C-alpha cells in the first residue's frame, strides 16, 4: 500500500488537486485508515485559519504619495533595448538577497561552493542559517544587499565576495556595485568590475582585493592582480607587495580632505577667518594648491606639515608650488626645515595648507589642488571651500 | 504632472499595462496599483509578521520600493508576484533589524490596555484567545516556513506563484508547506 505523503493530504484539504489526482488520493484514503486519520487532522488544522479576522487595511495612498520621489527615466531602460537586470547571456540567473538572513562564513575558494553552478549557469547563491544552499530570485539593479552577519555571495559566475557584518552593497550595473559602508572581499575572475565608494572608485580587472569604507575614508588591500583606486594605480607584486594597503581620505577626491574650518557647524566662514586644508598623500610627488575666489587666484603661501605623531611643522615653500621631500617622523628622521616634501613608498602623510591671508570678500572660494605623483599622470581635485556671506 | 501613457504592445494584461504607465512615472497609475494591491500586500505582510503597525510600515515600504524600481520593471510575469517579492524582501530585512516578537508583545499589551474600554465586536473577536494563540504559533514558525505557509494557506497562492515569490523550486515549496503544517498542527492541536 502506497503511503500518502502529507503534501497530498494538504492539497486535498485545500482543494488544490485536479480531478484525476483527487480521485487517486481519495481512493487511496479509503484503503488506509492511518491516512484517513492524518487527513482529518490536517483538514481540521487548516480550517483553523478561517477564524483569523481579516487584516486591517493599509494606510491610505496619501501617505505613500507624500514620500514618492521624482522618478528619473532609467536611461538604459528607456532605450529601444530594455535594460536587463543582473543577468547573464547564457540563461536565467539567480542572485542572492542576503538582507535579514544569518549566514555562515565560507572562506573564499573553500568549502561551501559544492552544488553551486558557476560559469554558464550564472547562479548566485548563499548558504543560509541551516547550512542549506539556496537560490534566490534575480537581483535587479538598484537592489541593496545588507549583510547582517558575515555573508558569502556570488554575483553571477565572475564575482565572488565575502561581506562583513554591517556591510551595505548596492548593485548599480552589471559590472558595478556601490559599497556604502563596511568591508567586502572580492574575487573577480575576469573582465572589468568597479566598486564605487564615497571616497573613490576601485576599478579592477580580474583580481582579488578587499575594500573597507568607514566614516572617514577608504582602505583597499590588494591580494592579487591590479587595482586602480580613484585614478591611482596600485599594482600588486610590482613595487607594492601583496597585501599592500592604501588609505584614501576625504569626502572629495581620493586624497583631498574637506577643509577644517574650525567651526562647529561648518557654516559660512566670517570674513577674515583663515582656512586650513588637509591632504593625504601616499606616493612621492608634487603638490600645488591654489585658491580662487572673488579676488582672483591665490596660491598657498606656506604649509604646515602634520607628521604621524600629530606634531605640526611649518614648511616654508615657494609662492607657487612646493615639493615634498624626505621622510617624516615615524618613518625616519625629522622633517626638513624648508624645501619641499617627499614621501617614500608606502608612506602616508598629511599636509595642511593654510592660506595666511584671510578671505575678506563675500563670494564663493574654491580650492584646486594638483598632485603629480612620480611617473604618473597628475591628479586634480577641486572643491568649493566656503561661501563667505 | 504624469507623462502620457506610452503605447503598449499586445499581450499585456491589465496589471501590466498599469505598471507600464507607472514605469513612465504616472502617479495616478501608481495610485490605482495601490488600490488594487495595497490590501493583498498588507494581508500578506500581516500574515508574516502578525503585527498591524509593522505590516503597515512594510506595506508602505513595499510600494515606495516598487515606485523606485518601476523603471526597471519588465512585463515578464505577474505584477502581483513582483510586488509580493518586494514585500517579502522588506519583511526579511526588517526582521533582521528588530526583535519582532518582543516588540509585538509589548505593543499588544499597550493596545490591549488602550482598547479594553473601547471594543467593537470585531475587535473583541480579533483579540480572542484562540486567534491570539494561532497568531503566536504562526510566529513560532521559522520565517522561511512561515513565508510559504502564509502564501499558500492564508494568501491562497498557487505553488508556482509561491515558488516564484519565495525564489524556490516547487518541490521545495511543497516540502516546506508540509513541514510548516506539521509544526503548526503539533503546536495548535497539543495546546
Amino acid at each position: 500500500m502506497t503511503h500518502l505523503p502529507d503534501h497530498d493530504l494538504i492539497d486535498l484539504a485545500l482543494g488544490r488537486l485536479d480531478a484525476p489526482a483527487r480521485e487517486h488520493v481519495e481512493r487511496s484514503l479509503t484503503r488506509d485508515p492511518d491516512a484517513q486519520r492524518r487527513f482529518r487532522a490536517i483538514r481540521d488544522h487548516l480550517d483553523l485559519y478561517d477564524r483569523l479576522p481579516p487584516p486591517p487595511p493599509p494606510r491610505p495612498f496619501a501617505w505613500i504619495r507624500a514620500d514618492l520621489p521624482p522618478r528619473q527615466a532609467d536611461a538604459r531602460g528607456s532605450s529601444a533595448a530594455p535594460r536587463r537586470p543582473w543577468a547573464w547571456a547564457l540563461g536565467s540567473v539567480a542572485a542572492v538577497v542576503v538582507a535579514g538572513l544569518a549566514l555562515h562564513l565560507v572562506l573564499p575558494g573553500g568549502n561551501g561552493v559544492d552544488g553551486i553552478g558557476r560559469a554558464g549557469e550564472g547562479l548566485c547563491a548563499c548558504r543560509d542559517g541551516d547550512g542549506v544552499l539556496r537560490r534566490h530570485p534575480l537581483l535587479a539593479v538598484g537592489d541593496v544587499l545588507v549583510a547582517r552577519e558575515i555573508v558569502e555571495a556570488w554575483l553571477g559566475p565572475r564575482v565572488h565576495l565575502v561581506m562583513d557584518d554591517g556591510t551595505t552593497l548596492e548593485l548599480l550595473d552589471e559590472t558595478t556595485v556601490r559599497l556604502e559602508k563596511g568591508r567586502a572581499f572580492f574575487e573577480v575572475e575576469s573582465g572589468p568590475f568597479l566598486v564605487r565608494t564615497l571616497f573613490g572608485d576601485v576599478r579592477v580587472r580580474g583580481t582579488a582585493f578587499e575594500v573597507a569604507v568607514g566614516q572617514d575614508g577608504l582602505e583597499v588591500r590588494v591580494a592579487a592582480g591590479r587595482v586602480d583606486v580613484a585614478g591611482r594605480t596600485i599594482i600588486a607584486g610590482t613595487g607594492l607587495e601583496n597585501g599592500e594597503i592604501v588609505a584614501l581620505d576625504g569626502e572629495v577626491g581620493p586624497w583631498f580632505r574637506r577643509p577644517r574650518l574650525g567651526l562647529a557647524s561648518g557654516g559660512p566662514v566670517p570674513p577674515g577667518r583663515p582656512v586650513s586644508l588637509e591632504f593625504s598623500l601616499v606616493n612621492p610627488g608634487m603638490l600645488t594648491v591654489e585658491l580662487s575666489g572673488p579676488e582672483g587666484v591665490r596660491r598657498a603661501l606656506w604649509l604646515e606639515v602634520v607628521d604621524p605623531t600629530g606634531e605640526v611643522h611649518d614648511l616654508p615653500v615657494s609662492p607657487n608650488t612646493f615639493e615634498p621631500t624626505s621622510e617624516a617622523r615615524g618613518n625616519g628622521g625629522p622633517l626638513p626645515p624648508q624645501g619641499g616634501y617627499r614621501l617614500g613608498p608606502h608612506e602616508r602623510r598629511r599636509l595642511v595648507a593654510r592660506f595666511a591671508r584671510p578671505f575678506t570678500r563675500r563670494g564663493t572660494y574654491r580650492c584646486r589642488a594638483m598632485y603629480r605623483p612620480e611617473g604618473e599622470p597628475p591628479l586634480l581635485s577641486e572643491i568649493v571651500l566656503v561661501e563667505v556671506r | 504632472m504624469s507623462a502620457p501613457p506610452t503605447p503598449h504592445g499586445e499581450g499585456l494584461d491589465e496589471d501590466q499595462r498599469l505598471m507600464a504607465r507607472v514605469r513612465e512615472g504616472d502617479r495616478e497609475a501608481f495610485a490605482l496599483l495601490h488600490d488594487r494591491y495595497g490590501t493583498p500586500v498588507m494581508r500578506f505582510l500581516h500574515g508574516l509578521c502578525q503585527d498591524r503597525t509593522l505590516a503597515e510600515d512594510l506595506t508602505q515600504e513595499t510600494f515606495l520600493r516598487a515606485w523606485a524600481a518601476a523603471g526597471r520593471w519588465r512585463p515578464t510575469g505577474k505584477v502581483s508576484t513582483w510586488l509580493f517579492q518586494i514585500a517579502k524582501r522588506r519583511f526579511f530585512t526588517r526582521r533582521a533589524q528588530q526583535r519582532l516578537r518582543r516588540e509585538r508583545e509589548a505593543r499588544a499589551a499597550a493596545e490591549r490596555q488602550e482598547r479594553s474600554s473601547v471594543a467593537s465586536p470585531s475587535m473583541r473577536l480579533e483579540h480572542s484567545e484562540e486567534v491570539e494563540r494561532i497568531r503566536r504559533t504562526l510566529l513560532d514558525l521559522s520565517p522561511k516556513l512561515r513565508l510559504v505557509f502564509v502564501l499558500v494557506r492564508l494568501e491562497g497562492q498557487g505553488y508556482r506563484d509561491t515558488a516564484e515569490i519565495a525564489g524556490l523550486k516547487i518541490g521545495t515549496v511543497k516540502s516546506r508547506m508540509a513541514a510548516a503544517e506539521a509544526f503548526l498542527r503539533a503546536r495548535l492541536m497539543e495546546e
Side-chain angles (χ1 to χ4, degrees), chain A residues 197-226:
Chain A
T197 78
L198 179 65
F199 304 105
D201 292 348
V202 183
R203 192 179 300 271
V204 304
R205 184 176 290 273
T207 187
F209 62 104
E210 179 181 275
V211 181
V213 178
Q215 286 188 340
D216 297 322
L218 162 74
E219 208 173 78
V220 179
R221 298 170 186 250
V222 179
R226 177 181 178 132

Side-chain angles (χ1 to χ4, degrees), chain A residues 6-8 10-11 14 16 38 41-61 63-65 67-71 74 76-78 81-85 97 99-101 128-130 132 134-144 146 148, chain B residues 22-25 27-28 30-31 34 38-39 42-43 46 52-53 56-57 59-60 63-65 67-68 70-72 74 85 88-89 92-93 95-97 126 130-131 134-135 138 144 149 152-154 156-159 164-169 174 176-178 181 184-185 188-189:
Chain A
D6 277 0
H7 65 74
D8 278 348
I10 290 171
D11 288 344
L14 294 178
R16 289 176 177 247
R38 283 189 292 127
I42 289 172
R43 183 193 58 199
D44 291 346
H45 165 234
L46 293 176
D47 283 348
L48 281 180
Y49 300 91
D50 292 333
R51 302 178 195 180
L52 289 176
R59 290 174 185 151
F61 182 70
W63 288 51
I64 297 174
R65 184 191 288 274
D67 285 341
L68 290 181
R71 279 275 318 286
D74 182 77
R76 291 175 64 175
S78 61
R83 183 179 188 182
R84 292 159 63 201
V97 174
L101 300 178
D128 65 16
D130 294 337
V132 176
R134 296 187 57 194
R135 298 172 184 229
H136 287 266
L138 180 67
L139 264 183
V141 170
D143 275 357
V144 175
V146 180
R148 298 300 169 197
Chain B
V22 173
R23 187 176 56 194
E24 302 300 321
R27 293 181 181 224
E28 294 312 311
F30 190 60
H34 182 266
T39 297
M42 174 74 182
R43 188 174 59 226
H46 189 262
R52 172 180 185 162
T53 305
E56 286 176 344
D57 286 348
T59 302
Q60 191 163 336
F63 280 91
L64 288 173
R65 189 79 177 172
W67 173 257
R72 299 185 300 274
R74 294 295 176 266
Q85 285 171 334
K88 177 205 74 173
R89 287 198 287 266
F92 279 104
T93 300
R95 181 183 167 272
Q97 295 170 348
E126 182 175 5
E130 183 182 43
V131 167
I134 293 172
R135 287 190 170 155
L138 268 174
K144 288 185 303 187
F149 188 83
V152 173
R153 174 59 187 92
L154 303 191
Q157 297 276 358
Y159 285 128
E164 193 175 339
I165 291 168
L168 302 170
K169 291 181 178 176
K174 289 189 175 184
R176 288 195 183 181
M177 179 62 190
E181 192 280 329
L184 293 168
R185 174 161 40 93
L188 289 170
M189 298 311 191

Side-chain angles (χ1 to χ4, degrees), chain A residues 159 169-170 172 175-180 184 186 188 193-198 200-204 209-213 218 220 228-230:
Chain A
V159 181
L169 194 78
E170 179 183 357
L172 299 183
T175 57
T176 309
V177 298
R178 189 199 320 276
L179 183 61
E180 295 182 6
F186 297 85
V188 180
F193 188 72
L194 178 64
V195 180
R196 311 208 78 153
T197 78
L198 179 65
D201 292 348
V202 183
R203 192 179 300 271
V204 304
F209 62 104
E210 179 181 275
V211 181
V213 178
L218 162 74
V220 179
D228 284 334
V229 183

Side-chain angles (χ1 to χ4, degrees), chain A residues 81-381:
Chain A
R83 183 179 188 182
R84 292 159 63 201
W86 195 296
W88 301 94
L90 294 180
S92 64
V93 179
V96 57
V97 174
V98 301
L101 300 178
L103 301 169
H104 294 164
L105 170 67
V106 180
L107 296 175
N111 297 328
V113 297
D114 295 341
I116 298 178
R118 301 302 296 276
E121 293 186 28
L123 179 66
C124 295
C126 63
R127 188 181 291 282
D128 65 16
D130 294 337
V132 176
L133 288 170
R134 296 187 57 194
R135 298 172 184 229
H136 287 266
L138 180 67
L139 264 183
V141 170
D143 275 357
V144 175
L145 285 73
V146 180
R148 298 300 169 197
E149 294 193 7
I150 298 173
V151 165
E152 182 189 29
W154 289 265
L155 307 178
R158 278 200 314 123
V159 181
H160 173 227
L161 67 142
V162 179
M163 297 162 64
D164 263 3
D165 175 22
T167 300
T168 300
L169 194 78
E170 179 183 357
L171 300 188
L172 299 183
D173 204 334
E174 283 82 355
T175 57
T176 309
V177 298
R178 189 199 320 276
L179 183 61
E180 295 182 6
K181 62 173 182 176
R183 184 184 302 268
F185 180 90
F186 297 85
E187 279 182 305
V188 180
E189 278 189 18
S190 61
F193 188 72
L194 178 64
V195 180
R196 311 208 78 153
T197 78
L198 179 65
F199 304 105
D201 292 348
V202 183
R203 192 179 300 271
V204 304
R205 184 176 290 273
T207 187
F209 62 104
E210 179 181 275
V211 181
V213 178
Q215 286 188 340
D216 297 322
L218 162 74
E219 208 173 78
V220 179
R221 298 170 186 250
V222 179
R226 177 181 178 132
V227 173
D228 284 334
V229 183
R232 289 282 291 117
T233 298
I234 303 163
I235 304 173
T238 306
L240 303 172
E241 297 174 357
N242 282 357
E244 169 63 18
I245 302 170
V246 62
L248 306 177
D249 297 302
E251 295 180 74
V252 178
W255 50 277
F256 199 6
R257 188 188 290 275
R258 182 181 293 279
R260 295 171 184 267
L261 303 180
L263 299 173
S265 63
V269 177
R273 178 74 65 94
V275 175
S276 295
L277 309 172
E278 290 187 9
F279 309 90
S280 287
L281 306 175
V282 178
N283 280 15
M286 185 176 296
L287 177 69
T288 308
V289 180
E290 64 180 33
L291 176 69
S292 66
E295 301 102 328
V297 175
R298 180 193 302 160
R299 301 297 172 97
L301 297 183
W302 51 276
L303 290 177
E304 291 176 353
V305 178
V306 181
D307 68 21
T309 68
E311 189 169 344
V312 177
H313 307 265
D314 287 346
L315 189 65
V317 294
S318 70
N320 294 323
T321 64
F322 82 97
E323 183 176 352
T325 61
S326 193
E327 69 279 4
R329 201 181 305 281
N331 289 286
L335 293 168
Q338 59 181 329
Y341 189 82
R342 182 180 300 281
L343 288 169
H346 318 316
E347 207 174 297
R348 185 168 163 228
R349 187 68 62 242
R350 185 178 63 172
L351 303 179
V352 177
R354 179 183 293 273
F355 296 91
R357 291 172 59 187
F359 307 133
T360 56
R361 189 172 298 185
R362 298 184 193 283
T364 301
Y365 288 78
R366 301 173 191 275
C367 182
R368 166 189 282 235
M370 177 180 288
Y371 177 46
R372 283 173 283 181
E374 289 179 351
E376 304 248 3
L379 296 172
L380 203 61
S381 273

